[in-house]
Amino acid sequence: MLVGANILRRLLRSQPSATDGGSGLVITAIHHLRSHCSSTTELSTSDVGNSEKKRESKWFTLPPFAKTINASAMGAKIAGKSHSKSSPTAACETTALKWILKCCPGLPRSLVQKLFRLRQVRRESIAMEVSDDGCQVQKTKVKRLGAKDSLNVGDRILLPISVREIPEEKQEHHCTNEESNFIRSLELYKDPAIIVLNKPPGMPVQGGIGIKWSLDELAATWLCYDYSEPPRLVHRLDRDCSGILVMGRTQTSASILHSIFREESLGASKQDFDDEKRVLQKRYWALVIGSPRRPKGTISAPLQKVVVDDGKSDRITVFDNYKIMSSQHAITEYRVIKTSSHGYTWLELSPLTGRKHQLRVHCAEVLGTPIVGDYKYGWQAHRRLQNLLESDLRKNLNKKASKGNMLPFGIDMEGGSISDKRLHLHLHCREMILPNVSKALQNPGSFSDDDLLKLKSLEIVAPLPSYMQKSWDILDS
Protein backbone atom coordinates (compact mmCIF):
# COMPACT_ATOMS: atom_id res chain seq x y z
CA MET A 1 0.00 0.00 0.00
CA LEU A 2 1.36 3.43 -1.00
CA VAL A 3 1.52 6.07 1.75
CA GLY A 4 1.97 9.83 1.28
CA ALA A 5 5.18 10.34 3.23
CA ASN A 6 5.08 14.15 3.01
CA ILE A 7 1.56 14.37 4.45
CA LEU A 8 2.41 11.98 7.26
CA ARG A 9 5.56 13.97 8.15
CA ARG A 10 3.63 17.28 8.28
CA LEU A 11 0.93 15.82 10.51
CA LEU A 12 3.45 14.38 12.97
CA ARG A 13 5.34 17.70 13.21
CA SER A 14 2.14 19.69 13.80
CA GLN A 15 1.11 17.59 16.86
CA PRO A 16 2.62 18.14 20.40
CA SER A 17 4.94 15.39 21.54
CA ALA A 18 3.50 13.10 24.19
CA THR A 19 4.58 9.78 25.43
CA ASP A 20 1.01 8.46 25.68
CA GLY A 21 -0.33 9.80 22.40
CA GLY A 22 2.05 8.20 19.89
CA SER A 23 -0.40 5.69 18.53
CA GLY A 24 -3.17 8.30 18.40
CA LEU A 25 -0.99 10.55 16.29
CA VAL A 26 -0.38 7.80 13.76
CA ILE A 27 -4.10 6.94 13.60
CA THR A 28 -4.98 10.63 13.15
CA ALA A 29 -2.39 10.93 10.38
CA ILE A 30 -3.79 7.90 8.57
CA HIS A 31 -7.33 9.31 8.83
CA HIS A 32 -6.13 12.59 7.33
CA LEU A 33 -4.37 10.65 4.61
CA ARG A 34 -7.50 8.66 3.76
CA SER A 35 -9.55 11.83 3.72
CA HIS A 36 -7.07 13.42 1.32
CA CYS A 37 -7.11 10.41 -1.02
CA SER A 38 -10.89 10.23 -1.04
CA SER A 39 -11.19 13.94 -1.76
CA THR A 40 -8.66 13.55 -4.57
CA THR A 41 -10.68 10.67 -6.00
CA GLU A 42 -13.90 12.69 -5.71
CA LEU A 43 -12.22 15.61 -7.44
CA SER A 44 -10.97 13.41 -10.27
CA THR A 45 -14.39 11.79 -10.53
CA SER A 46 -16.09 15.16 -10.72
CA ASP A 47 -13.58 16.21 -13.38
CA VAL A 48 -14.40 13.06 -15.30
CA GLY A 49 -18.11 13.81 -14.92
CA ASN A 50 -17.66 17.35 -16.23
CA SER A 51 -15.56 16.08 -19.12
CA GLU A 52 -18.25 13.50 -19.91
CA LYS A 53 -20.90 16.23 -20.07
CA LYS A 54 -18.73 18.26 -22.43
CA ARG A 55 -17.99 15.14 -24.46
CA GLU A 56 -21.68 14.25 -24.77
CA SER A 57 -22.43 17.67 -26.24
CA LYS A 58 -19.61 17.42 -28.79
CA TRP A 59 -18.93 13.73 -29.42
CA PHE A 60 -20.84 10.56 -30.22
CA THR A 61 -19.25 7.78 -28.13
CA LEU A 62 -19.06 4.18 -29.33
CA PRO A 63 -19.10 1.16 -26.98
CA PRO A 64 -15.72 0.25 -25.45
CA PHE A 65 -13.58 -2.03 -27.57
CA ALA A 66 -13.63 -5.69 -26.49
CA LYS A 67 -11.47 -8.62 -27.57
CA THR A 68 -12.59 -10.48 -30.67
CA ILE A 69 -11.53 -13.86 -31.94
CA ASN A 70 -9.61 -14.28 -35.18
CA ALA A 71 -12.54 -15.44 -37.29
CA SER A 72 -10.49 -16.02 -40.44
CA ALA A 73 -7.95 -18.19 -38.59
CA MET A 74 -10.71 -20.14 -36.83
CA GLY A 75 -12.46 -20.84 -40.13
CA ALA A 76 -9.21 -22.09 -41.66
CA LYS A 77 -8.55 -24.33 -38.63
CA ILE A 78 -12.05 -25.82 -38.84
CA ALA A 79 -11.49 -26.51 -42.54
CA GLY A 80 -8.19 -28.19 -41.64
CA LYS A 81 -6.25 -25.88 -43.93
CA SER A 82 -4.65 -23.31 -41.65
CA HIS A 83 -1.88 -21.27 -43.25
CA SER A 84 -0.62 -19.54 -40.11
CA LYS A 85 0.57 -20.49 -36.65
CA SER A 86 -1.59 -17.93 -34.86
CA SER A 87 -4.21 -19.30 -32.52
CA PRO A 88 -7.78 -18.75 -33.75
CA THR A 89 -8.93 -18.03 -30.20
CA ALA A 90 -6.26 -15.38 -29.64
CA ALA A 91 -7.35 -11.77 -29.69
CA CYS A 92 -7.65 -10.49 -33.21
CA GLU A 93 -6.05 -7.12 -33.96
CA THR A 94 -8.87 -4.76 -34.85
CA THR A 95 -8.37 -1.40 -36.51
CA ALA A 96 -10.33 1.71 -35.64
CA LEU A 97 -12.05 1.65 -39.04
CA LYS A 98 -13.28 -1.93 -38.58
CA TRP A 99 -14.61 -1.21 -35.08
CA ILE A 100 -16.59 1.84 -36.23
CA LEU A 101 -18.14 -0.08 -39.13
CA LYS A 102 -19.05 -2.92 -36.77
CA CYS A 103 -20.64 -0.62 -34.17
CA CYS A 104 -22.34 1.59 -36.79
CA PRO A 105 -23.32 -0.64 -39.73
CA GLY A 106 -25.67 2.07 -40.98
CA LEU A 107 -22.88 4.62 -41.51
CA PRO A 108 -21.54 4.71 -45.09
CA ARG A 109 -17.94 3.49 -45.26
CA SER A 110 -17.02 6.48 -47.42
CA LEU A 111 -18.21 8.88 -44.70
CA VAL A 112 -16.18 7.12 -41.99
CA GLN A 113 -13.07 7.24 -44.15
CA LYS A 114 -13.66 10.96 -44.74
CA LEU A 115 -13.85 11.57 -40.97
CA PHE A 116 -10.44 9.93 -40.59
CA ARG A 117 -8.98 12.03 -43.43
CA LEU A 118 -10.29 15.20 -41.75
CA ARG A 119 -8.77 14.02 -38.43
CA GLN A 120 -12.15 14.18 -36.66
CA VAL A 121 -11.95 10.82 -34.89
CA ARG A 122 -10.64 10.50 -31.32
CA ARG A 123 -9.64 7.67 -29.01
CA GLU A 124 -10.56 7.87 -25.31
CA SER A 125 -8.40 5.66 -23.11
CA ILE A 126 -8.37 5.42 -19.33
CA ALA A 127 -5.13 4.99 -17.37
CA MET A 128 -4.36 4.73 -13.66
CA GLU A 129 -1.58 7.07 -12.51
CA VAL A 130 0.05 7.67 -9.15
CA SER A 131 -0.08 11.27 -7.91
CA ASP A 132 2.67 13.07 -5.98
CA ASP A 133 0.83 12.24 -2.77
CA GLY A 134 1.03 8.50 -3.52
CA CYS A 135 -2.65 7.98 -4.44
CA GLN A 136 -3.85 6.21 -7.56
CA VAL A 137 -5.80 8.58 -9.81
CA GLN A 138 -7.85 7.56 -12.83
CA LYS A 139 -7.15 9.81 -15.79
CA THR A 140 -8.83 9.95 -19.16
CA LYS A 141 -6.76 10.68 -22.24
CA VAL A 142 -8.24 11.71 -25.57
CA LYS A 143 -6.06 11.61 -28.68
CA ARG A 144 -6.51 11.69 -32.43
CA LEU A 145 -6.94 8.29 -34.06
CA GLY A 146 -6.00 6.94 -37.48
CA ALA A 147 -8.08 4.49 -39.52
CA LYS A 148 -5.44 1.74 -39.31
CA ASP A 149 -4.55 2.27 -35.64
CA SER A 150 -5.08 -0.79 -33.44
CA LEU A 151 -7.35 -0.58 -30.41
CA ASN A 152 -6.72 -1.71 -26.85
CA VAL A 153 -9.35 -3.33 -24.67
CA GLY A 154 -11.53 -0.66 -23.09
CA ASP A 155 -10.75 2.07 -25.63
CA ARG A 156 -13.69 4.18 -26.74
CA ILE A 157 -13.91 5.89 -30.11
CA LEU A 158 -15.40 9.39 -30.29
CA LEU A 159 -17.07 10.58 -33.48
CA PRO A 160 -18.50 14.04 -34.21
CA ILE A 161 -21.98 14.35 -32.75
CA SER A 162 -23.27 15.24 -36.23
CA VAL A 163 -23.11 11.57 -37.31
CA ARG A 164 -26.28 10.95 -35.28
CA GLU A 165 -28.21 13.08 -37.76
CA ILE A 166 -27.03 11.10 -40.80
CA PRO A 167 -29.73 8.69 -42.04
CA GLU A 168 -28.74 5.06 -42.23
CA GLU A 169 -28.10 3.53 -45.64
CA LYS A 170 -30.35 0.51 -45.15
CA GLN A 171 -34.02 0.94 -45.93
CA GLU A 172 -36.90 -0.44 -43.97
CA HIS A 173 -38.91 -2.80 -46.16
CA HIS A 174 -42.53 -2.46 -45.22
CA CYS A 175 -44.22 -5.78 -45.93
CA THR A 176 -47.68 -7.11 -45.31
CA ASN A 177 -48.25 -9.78 -42.69
CA GLU A 178 -48.54 -12.34 -45.47
CA GLU A 179 -45.15 -11.31 -46.90
CA SER A 180 -43.36 -11.28 -43.55
CA ASN A 181 -44.82 -14.67 -42.64
CA PHE A 182 -43.66 -16.01 -46.01
CA ILE A 183 -40.07 -14.87 -45.35
CA ARG A 184 -40.07 -16.55 -41.93
CA SER A 185 -41.58 -19.71 -43.43
CA LEU A 186 -38.41 -20.11 -45.52
CA GLU A 187 -36.34 -20.95 -42.42
CA LEU A 188 -34.93 -24.47 -42.41
CA TYR A 189 -32.61 -24.11 -39.41
CA LYS A 190 -31.60 -21.48 -36.86
CA ASP A 191 -29.08 -21.38 -34.01
CA PRO A 192 -27.17 -18.53 -32.31
CA ALA A 193 -24.63 -18.40 -35.19
CA ILE A 194 -26.52 -19.04 -38.45
CA ILE A 195 -29.88 -18.96 -40.20
CA VAL A 196 -30.50 -21.34 -43.12
CA LEU A 197 -33.22 -20.52 -45.64
CA ASN A 198 -34.85 -22.51 -48.43
CA LYS A 199 -34.47 -19.85 -51.12
CA PRO A 200 -37.40 -19.68 -53.55
CA PRO A 201 -36.64 -19.46 -57.29
CA GLY A 202 -36.91 -16.04 -58.88
CA MET A 203 -35.81 -14.04 -55.84
CA PRO A 204 -32.27 -12.54 -55.91
CA VAL A 205 -30.15 -13.01 -52.82
CA GLN A 206 -28.56 -9.56 -53.06
CA GLY A 207 -29.93 -6.16 -54.00
CA GLY A 208 -28.84 -4.06 -56.96
CA ILE A 209 -30.02 -1.83 -59.77
CA GLY A 210 -33.56 -2.68 -60.82
CA ILE A 211 -34.08 -5.16 -57.96
CA LYS A 212 -37.03 -4.34 -55.71
CA TRP A 213 -36.81 -7.25 -53.29
CA SER A 214 -33.74 -9.24 -52.27
CA LEU A 215 -33.30 -11.87 -49.56
CA ASP A 216 -30.47 -10.08 -47.78
CA GLU A 217 -32.56 -6.91 -47.35
CA LEU A 218 -35.70 -8.79 -46.35
CA ALA A 219 -33.70 -10.85 -43.85
CA ALA A 220 -32.29 -7.66 -42.35
CA THR A 221 -35.85 -6.47 -41.73
CA TRP A 222 -37.61 -9.67 -40.65
CA LEU A 223 -34.99 -12.19 -39.50
CA CYS A 224 -32.94 -10.22 -36.95
CA TYR A 225 -35.17 -11.30 -34.05
CA ASP A 226 -33.44 -10.12 -30.83
CA TYR A 227 -30.07 -9.51 -32.52
CA SER A 228 -28.77 -5.96 -32.98
CA GLU A 229 -27.09 -6.77 -36.32
CA PRO A 230 -28.69 -8.18 -39.48
CA PRO A 231 -27.95 -11.63 -40.95
CA ARG A 232 -25.14 -11.62 -43.51
CA LEU A 233 -24.78 -13.63 -46.70
CA VAL A 234 -22.15 -16.37 -46.54
CA HIS A 235 -22.51 -17.61 -50.13
CA ARG A 236 -24.78 -16.96 -53.09
CA LEU A 237 -27.28 -18.74 -55.33
CA ASP A 238 -28.35 -17.68 -58.81
CA ARG A 239 -31.61 -15.75 -58.96
CA ASP A 240 -33.48 -18.62 -60.66
CA CYS A 241 -31.84 -21.31 -58.52
CA SER A 242 -33.55 -22.57 -55.36
CA GLY A 243 -32.48 -24.30 -52.19
CA ILE A 244 -30.20 -23.93 -49.19
CA LEU A 245 -28.88 -20.44 -48.44
CA VAL A 246 -26.73 -19.95 -45.32
CA MET A 247 -26.55 -16.60 -43.52
CA GLY A 248 -24.39 -15.66 -40.53
CA ARG A 249 -26.33 -14.05 -37.68
CA THR A 250 -23.29 -12.11 -36.48
CA GLN A 251 -20.26 -10.62 -38.18
CA THR A 252 -18.02 -13.15 -36.41
CA SER A 253 -19.98 -16.24 -37.48
CA ALA A 254 -20.28 -14.90 -41.04
CA SER A 255 -16.51 -14.30 -41.19
CA ILE A 256 -15.79 -17.84 -39.95
CA LEU A 257 -18.09 -19.37 -42.57
CA HIS A 258 -16.64 -17.12 -45.28
CA SER A 259 -13.22 -18.50 -44.38
CA ILE A 260 -14.48 -22.10 -44.49
CA PHE A 261 -16.09 -21.64 -47.92
CA ARG A 262 -12.93 -19.92 -49.22
CA GLU A 263 -10.56 -22.58 -47.88
CA GLU A 264 -12.66 -25.44 -49.25
CA SER A 265 -12.73 -23.85 -52.70
CA LEU A 266 -8.99 -23.15 -52.56
CA GLY A 267 -8.26 -26.73 -51.53
CA ALA A 268 -10.31 -28.08 -54.44
CA SER A 269 -8.43 -25.84 -56.86
CA LYS A 270 -5.23 -27.51 -55.67
CA GLN A 271 -6.66 -30.95 -56.50
CA ASP A 272 -7.21 -31.71 -52.80
CA PHE A 273 -10.81 -32.94 -52.79
CA ASP A 274 -10.93 -36.01 -50.61
CA ASP A 275 -14.51 -36.49 -49.37
CA GLU A 276 -13.35 -37.50 -45.88
CA LYS A 277 -11.38 -34.27 -45.46
CA ARG A 278 -14.10 -31.95 -46.71
CA VAL A 279 -15.93 -30.31 -43.82
CA LEU A 280 -18.18 -28.44 -46.27
CA GLN A 281 -20.21 -30.41 -48.79
CA LYS A 282 -22.89 -29.07 -51.13
CA ARG A 283 -25.18 -31.28 -53.20
CA TYR A 284 -27.53 -29.95 -55.86
CA TRP A 285 -30.26 -31.77 -57.74
CA ALA A 286 -30.76 -30.90 -61.38
CA LEU A 287 -33.01 -32.18 -64.16
CA VAL A 288 -31.09 -32.12 -67.44
CA ILE A 289 -31.96 -32.71 -71.08
CA GLY A 290 -30.27 -35.87 -72.32
CA SER A 291 -27.98 -38.18 -70.37
CA PRO A 292 -24.22 -38.10 -69.62
CA ARG A 293 -22.03 -40.78 -71.18
CA ARG A 294 -20.85 -41.99 -67.76
CA PRO A 295 -23.10 -42.49 -64.71
CA LYS A 296 -20.69 -40.53 -62.52
CA GLY A 297 -17.47 -38.59 -62.74
CA THR A 298 -15.54 -35.40 -61.99
CA ILE A 299 -15.53 -32.36 -64.26
CA SER A 300 -12.41 -30.20 -64.13
CA ALA A 301 -12.78 -27.34 -66.61
CA PRO A 302 -11.76 -23.68 -66.13
CA LEU A 303 -14.33 -20.97 -66.74
CA GLN A 304 -14.08 -17.47 -68.14
CA LYS A 305 -16.49 -14.60 -68.60
CA VAL A 306 -16.99 -13.30 -72.14
CA VAL A 307 -18.89 -10.20 -73.23
CA VAL A 308 -21.61 -10.58 -75.88
CA ASP A 309 -24.20 -8.41 -77.64
CA ASP A 310 -21.79 -5.47 -78.02
CA GLY A 311 -21.17 -5.32 -74.31
CA LYS A 312 -24.83 -5.43 -73.29
CA SER A 313 -24.53 -8.79 -71.54
CA ASP A 314 -22.05 -11.46 -70.61
CA ARG A 315 -21.92 -15.22 -70.22
CA ILE A 316 -19.58 -17.82 -68.73
CA THR A 317 -17.90 -20.36 -70.95
CA VAL A 318 -15.37 -23.18 -70.64
CA PHE A 319 -11.87 -21.98 -71.44
CA ASP A 320 -9.13 -24.52 -72.07
CA ASN A 321 -6.12 -22.24 -71.64
CA TYR A 322 -5.09 -22.51 -67.98
CA LYS A 323 -2.43 -19.83 -68.41
CA ILE A 324 -4.93 -17.04 -69.00
CA MET A 325 -5.19 -15.09 -65.75
CA SER A 326 -8.88 -14.25 -66.21
CA SER A 327 -9.92 -17.94 -66.26
CA GLN A 328 -10.96 -19.62 -63.00
CA HIS A 329 -10.41 -23.28 -62.20
CA ALA A 330 -13.74 -25.05 -61.59
CA ILE A 331 -14.39 -28.60 -60.39
CA THR A 332 -17.73 -30.42 -60.19
CA GLU A 333 -18.54 -33.99 -59.17
CA TYR A 334 -21.69 -35.55 -60.61
CA ARG A 335 -23.67 -38.77 -60.49
CA VAL A 336 -26.86 -39.94 -62.19
CA ILE A 337 -29.82 -40.32 -59.82
CA LYS A 338 -32.21 -41.75 -62.40
CA THR A 339 -33.04 -41.50 -66.11
CA SER A 340 -36.35 -41.17 -67.95
CA SER A 341 -37.67 -42.53 -71.23
CA HIS A 342 -38.73 -39.00 -72.12
CA GLY A 343 -35.10 -37.90 -72.59
CA TYR A 344 -34.49 -36.39 -69.16
CA THR A 345 -31.98 -37.31 -66.43
CA TRP A 346 -31.86 -36.40 -62.77
CA LEU A 347 -28.31 -35.55 -61.63
CA GLU A 348 -26.70 -34.90 -58.28
CA LEU A 349 -24.07 -32.18 -58.65
CA SER A 350 -21.40 -31.39 -56.05
CA PRO A 351 -19.46 -28.19 -56.78
CA LEU A 352 -16.01 -28.29 -55.16
CA THR A 353 -15.34 -24.70 -56.25
CA GLY A 354 -17.76 -21.81 -56.22
CA ARG A 355 -17.61 -20.12 -59.63
CA LYS A 356 -20.41 -18.11 -61.19
CA HIS A 357 -22.80 -20.34 -63.20
CA GLN A 358 -20.39 -23.25 -62.68
CA LEU A 359 -22.97 -26.04 -62.59
CA ARG A 360 -24.99 -24.67 -65.49
CA VAL A 361 -21.95 -24.31 -67.78
CA HIS A 362 -20.43 -27.67 -66.81
CA CYS A 363 -23.73 -29.44 -67.53
CA ALA A 364 -24.32 -27.66 -70.84
CA GLU A 365 -20.82 -27.46 -72.33
CA VAL A 366 -18.92 -30.38 -70.75
CA LEU A 367 -21.59 -33.06 -70.25
CA GLY A 368 -23.72 -31.86 -73.18
CA THR A 369 -26.82 -32.03 -70.99
CA PRO A 370 -28.16 -28.50 -70.27
CA ILE A 371 -30.34 -28.02 -67.22
CA VAL A 372 -34.09 -27.83 -67.85
CA GLY A 373 -35.21 -24.21 -67.83
CA ASP A 374 -31.70 -22.84 -68.48
CA TYR A 375 -32.38 -20.86 -71.65
CA LYS A 376 -29.12 -18.90 -71.30
CA TYR A 377 -26.82 -21.91 -71.77
CA GLY A 378 -29.21 -24.43 -73.36
CA TRP A 379 -31.57 -22.56 -75.65
CA GLN A 380 -30.85 -24.78 -78.67
CA ALA A 381 -31.63 -27.96 -76.72
CA HIS A 382 -34.86 -26.40 -75.45
CA ARG A 383 -35.93 -25.48 -78.98
CA ARG A 384 -35.40 -29.07 -80.13
CA LEU A 385 -37.19 -30.34 -77.06
CA GLN A 386 -40.26 -28.22 -77.66
CA ASN A 387 -41.61 -30.45 -80.46
CA LEU A 388 -41.14 -33.55 -78.31
CA LEU A 389 -43.05 -31.97 -75.47
CA GLU A 390 -45.97 -31.00 -77.70
CA SER A 391 -46.22 -34.37 -79.45
CA ASP A 392 -45.36 -36.81 -76.67
CA LEU A 393 -45.26 -35.76 -73.06
CA ARG A 394 -48.13 -33.30 -72.94
CA LYS A 395 -50.43 -35.60 -74.92
CA ASN A 396 -49.68 -38.41 -72.51
CA LEU A 397 -50.51 -36.16 -69.59
CA ASN A 398 -53.81 -35.31 -71.28
CA LYS A 399 -54.34 -32.22 -69.17
CA LYS A 400 -53.64 -28.55 -69.28
CA ALA A 401 -50.90 -27.00 -67.26
CA SER A 402 -52.46 -25.55 -64.18
CA LYS A 403 -51.83 -21.95 -63.34
CA GLY A 404 -50.09 -21.88 -60.01
CA ASN A 405 -51.18 -19.53 -57.27
CA MET A 406 -48.78 -16.62 -57.02
CA LEU A 407 -46.94 -16.39 -53.72
CA PRO A 408 -45.84 -13.12 -52.09
CA PHE A 409 -43.25 -11.05 -54.01
CA GLY A 410 -44.59 -12.44 -57.31
CA ILE A 411 -43.06 -15.89 -56.83
CA ASP A 412 -44.58 -18.73 -58.85
CA MET A 413 -43.71 -22.12 -57.34
CA GLU A 414 -46.42 -24.16 -59.07
CA GLY A 415 -45.88 -23.34 -62.73
CA GLY A 416 -42.68 -24.13 -64.62
CA SER A 417 -42.61 -27.95 -64.53
CA ILE A 418 -41.95 -30.06 -67.62
CA SER A 419 -45.72 -30.11 -68.24
CA ASP A 420 -45.75 -26.33 -68.74
CA LYS A 421 -44.80 -24.43 -71.85
CA ARG A 422 -42.46 -22.05 -70.04
CA LEU A 423 -39.98 -24.00 -67.90
CA HIS A 424 -38.40 -22.85 -64.65
CA LEU A 425 -34.75 -23.60 -63.94
CA HIS A 426 -34.57 -27.10 -62.45
CA LEU A 427 -31.51 -26.54 -60.23
CA HIS A 428 -31.90 -26.90 -56.47
CA CYS A 429 -29.36 -26.86 -53.64
CA ARG A 430 -30.86 -29.83 -51.81
CA GLU A 431 -28.30 -30.81 -49.17
CA MET A 432 -25.44 -29.16 -47.32
CA ILE A 433 -23.08 -30.47 -44.65
CA LEU A 434 -21.20 -27.79 -42.73
CA PRO A 435 -19.46 -27.42 -39.35
CA ASN A 436 -21.53 -26.46 -36.33
CA VAL A 437 -19.95 -23.03 -35.88
CA SER A 438 -22.32 -22.19 -33.02
CA LYS A 439 -20.65 -24.84 -30.82
CA ALA A 440 -17.20 -23.37 -31.44
CA LEU A 441 -18.42 -19.87 -30.54
CA GLN A 442 -20.06 -20.87 -27.25
CA ASN A 443 -16.69 -20.91 -25.50
CA PRO A 444 -13.90 -20.23 -28.03
CA GLY A 445 -11.10 -20.36 -25.47
CA SER A 446 -11.87 -23.97 -24.54
CA PHE A 447 -11.41 -25.32 -28.09
CA SER A 448 -7.98 -26.53 -29.14
CA ASP A 449 -6.95 -26.90 -32.77
CA ASP A 450 -7.73 -30.62 -32.59
CA ASP A 451 -11.18 -29.87 -31.16
CA LEU A 452 -11.92 -27.53 -34.06
CA LEU A 453 -10.92 -30.22 -36.55
CA LYS A 454 -13.31 -32.66 -34.87
CA LEU A 455 -16.20 -30.21 -34.65
CA LYS A 456 -19.54 -31.91 -35.26
CA SER A 457 -21.33 -31.19 -38.52
CA LEU A 458 -24.83 -30.00 -39.37
CA GLU A 459 -26.68 -31.79 -42.16
CA ILE A 460 -29.40 -29.68 -43.74
CA VAL A 461 -31.84 -30.85 -46.41
CA ALA A 462 -34.19 -28.58 -48.37
CA PRO A 463 -37.30 -30.04 -50.02
CA LEU A 464 -37.72 -29.53 -53.76
CA PRO A 465 -39.84 -26.57 -54.94
CA SER A 466 -43.32 -27.51 -56.14
CA TYR A 467 -42.58 -27.37 -59.86
CA MET A 468 -39.50 -29.64 -59.52
CA GLN A 469 -41.44 -32.08 -57.38
CA LYS A 470 -44.15 -32.08 -60.03
CA SER A 471 -41.57 -32.86 -62.74
CA TRP A 472 -40.21 -35.68 -60.56
CA ASP A 473 -43.70 -37.16 -60.13
CA ILE A 474 -44.43 -36.90 -63.86
CA LEU A 475 -41.22 -38.71 -64.86
CA ASP A 476 -41.70 -41.29 -62.10
CA SER A 477 -45.20 -42.22 -63.27
Side-chain angles (χ1 to χ4, degrees):
M1 178 179 178
L2 297 173
V3 180
N6 294 334
I7 296 177
L8 184 61
R9 192 180 297 112
R10 286 201 303 269
L11 288 171
L12 291 174
R13 286 178 179 175
S14 64
Q15 297 292 335
S17 59
T19 56
D20 297 335
S23 60
L25 290 175
V26 173
I27 293 172
T28 304
I30 292 175
H31 279 301
H32 277 282
L33 182 61
R34 287 178 177 172
S35 175
H36 174 77
C37 288
S38 61
S39 62
T40 304
T41 304
E42 290 174 2
L43 182 62
S44 63
T45 304
S46 63
D47 290 340
V48 170
N50 292 331
S51 65
E52 285 182 354
K53 289 180 181 179
K54 292 179 180 178
R55 183 190 67 199
E56 288 177 0
S57 62
K58 185 178 180 181
W59 299 101
F60 173 57
T61 308
L62 301 188
F65 173 69
K67 286 185 179 180
T68 57
I69 66 171
N70 192 333
S72 180
M74 176 174 281
K77 289 284 186 182
I78 292 173
K81 300 179 176 76
S82 179
H83 308 294
S84 64
K85 296 181 179 179
S86 60
S87 171
T89 55
C92 179
E93 186 177 277
T94 302
T95 62
L97 177 62
K98 288 182 179 179
W99 185 247
I100 293 175
L101 294 176
K102 180 178 181 178
C103 296
C104 307
L107 283 181
R109 186 185 185 95
S110 58
L111 172 65
V112 178
Q113 291 172 329
K114 184 177 181 180
L115 292 176
F116 278 113
R117 288 197 302 272
L118 297 176
R119 305 179 73 185
Q120 294 183 355
V121 183
R122 302 288 187 272
R123 180 215 304 261
E124 179 189 82
S125 56
I126 298 175
M128 298 298 294
E129 296 184 359
V130 179
S131 66
D132 294 338
D133 297 331
C135 295
Q136 287 189 341
V137 180
Q138 182 177 328
K139 287 194 174 181
T140 302
K141 295 182 179 179
V142 178
K143 295 183 179 180
R144 284 195 181 96
L145 188 64
K148 296 183 179 180
D149 290 349
S150 299
L151 299 177
N152 300 317
V153 176
D155 286 353
R156 292 177 181 266
I157 292 181
L158 310 180
L159 301 176
I161 194 66
S162 57
V163 300
R164 283 184 172 179
E165 302 171 2
I166 299 173
E168 293 190 353
E169 278 190 329
K170 75 173 185 178
Q171 301 177 351
E172 279 282 324
H173 289 275
H174 300 286
C175 301
T176 64
N177 289 334
E178 183 185 9
E179 290 171 337
S180 60
N181 290 336
F182 174 74
I183 293 300
R184 292 196 174 104
S185 71
L186 301 177
E187 287 183 18
L188 293 171
Y189 174 82
K190 181 178 70 175
D191 65 24
I194 67 172
I195 287 181
V196 182
L197 305 180
N198 188 4
K199 175 194 170 303
M203 178 173 281
V205 298
Q206 197 168 27
I209 298 174
I211 294 176
K212 184 177 181 181
W213 306 105
S214 63
L215 267 179
D216 62 337
E217 294 172 345
L218 292 170
T221 303
W222 299 105
L223 300 181
C224 286
Y225 295 102
D226 56 344
Y227 279 49
S228 60
E229 48 186 322
R232 293 170 170 84
L233 290 172
V234 172
H235 64 112
R236 285 162 177 75
L237 294 176
D238 291 346
R239 179 174 187 158
D240 295 323
C241 182
S242 61
I244 296 173
L245 182 72
V246 181
M247 306 185 80
R249 299 191 69 185
T250 65
Q251 187 179 38
T252 301
S253 61
S255 297
I256 292 173
L257 288 166
H258 270 303
S259 180
I260 293 172
F261 274 73
R262 182 176 61 250
E263 294 295 336
E264 287 293 320
S265 184
L266 180 63
S269 297
K270 294 180 178 178
Q271 304 296 325
D272 178 20
F273 41 87
D274 186 355
D275 279 352
E276 295 182 358
K277 295 180 180 179
R278 284 162 49 200
V279 298
L280 175 67
Q281 299 180 41
K282 296 170 286 182
R283 299 187 180 98
Y284 290 70
W285 277 22
L287 180 62
V288 299
I289 302 170
S291 181
R293 293 181 180 179
R294 296 185 179 90
K296 64 178 181 179
T298 300
I299 303 168
S300 180
L303 304 176
Q304 186 184 34
K305 182 170 72 173
V306 295
V307 178
V308 295
D309 296 335
D310 297 327
K312 295 179 181 178
S313 62
D314 60 71
R315 58 183 287 126
I316 308 299
T317 184
V318 172
F319 201 74
D320 294 330
N321 193 344
Y322 288 86
K323 296 181 181 179
I324 301 298
M325 294 299 294
S326 59
S327 64
Q328 294 181 315
H329 199 49
I331 303 171
T332 303
E333 293 179 342
Y334 74 92
R335 74 174 182 89
V336 173
I337 300 173
K338 70 176 183 176
T339 57
S340 167
S341 59
H342 297 290
Y344 295 103
T345 303
W346 285 98
L347 296 181
E348 181 183 81
L349 304 168
S350 299
L352 306 188
T353 52
R355 312 304 184 195
K356 181 180 179 180
H357 295 176
Q358 174 178 323
L359 299 180
R360 296 165 64 181
V361 176
H362 277 177
C363 284
E365 296 191 14
V366 180
L367 295 181
T369 56
I371 298 174
V372 171
D374 189 358
Y375 295 96
K376 185 180 183 73
Y377 297 104
W379 65 273
Q380 289 180 334
H382 282 80
R383 188 172 61 179
R384 291 193 299 267
L385 184 68
Q386 207 57 23
N387 295 329
L388 173 65
L389 290 174
E390 293 293 343
S391 61
D392 183 18
L393 185 58
R394 290 199 182 116
K395 286 183 179 179
N396 292 338
L397 289 173
N398 195 25
K399 62 180 180 180
K400 294 182 179 180
S402 60
K403 294 183 178 180
N405 295 324
M406 297 295 286
L407 295 173
F409 309 105
I411 295 172
D412 179 13
M413 296 278 277
E414 297 293 334
S417 72
I418 55 175
S419 66
D420 296 315
K421 188 172 183 179
R422 183 68 181 178
L423 304 170
H424 285 350
L425 182 68
H426 282 54
L427 179 62
H428 177 76
C429 184
R430 184 176 182 274
E431 183 181 1
M432 187 177 295
I433 298 174
L434 69 162
N436 191 343
V437 174
S438 178
K439 290 291 184 182
L441 290 176
Q442 284 180 358
N443 189 5
S446 64
F447 278 82
S448 65
D449 291 354
D450 289 337
D451 293 334
L452 292 176
L453 288 172
K454 298 175 183 176
L455 198 63
K456 290 185 178 181
S457 297
L458 298 172
E459 184 173 353
I460 300 167
V461 177
L464 294 173
S466 302
Y467 66 92
M468 284 187 70
Q469 185 62 52
K470 186 176 180 180
S471 295
W472 176 279
D473 295 338
I474 291 171
L475 297 175
D476 199 36
S477 60

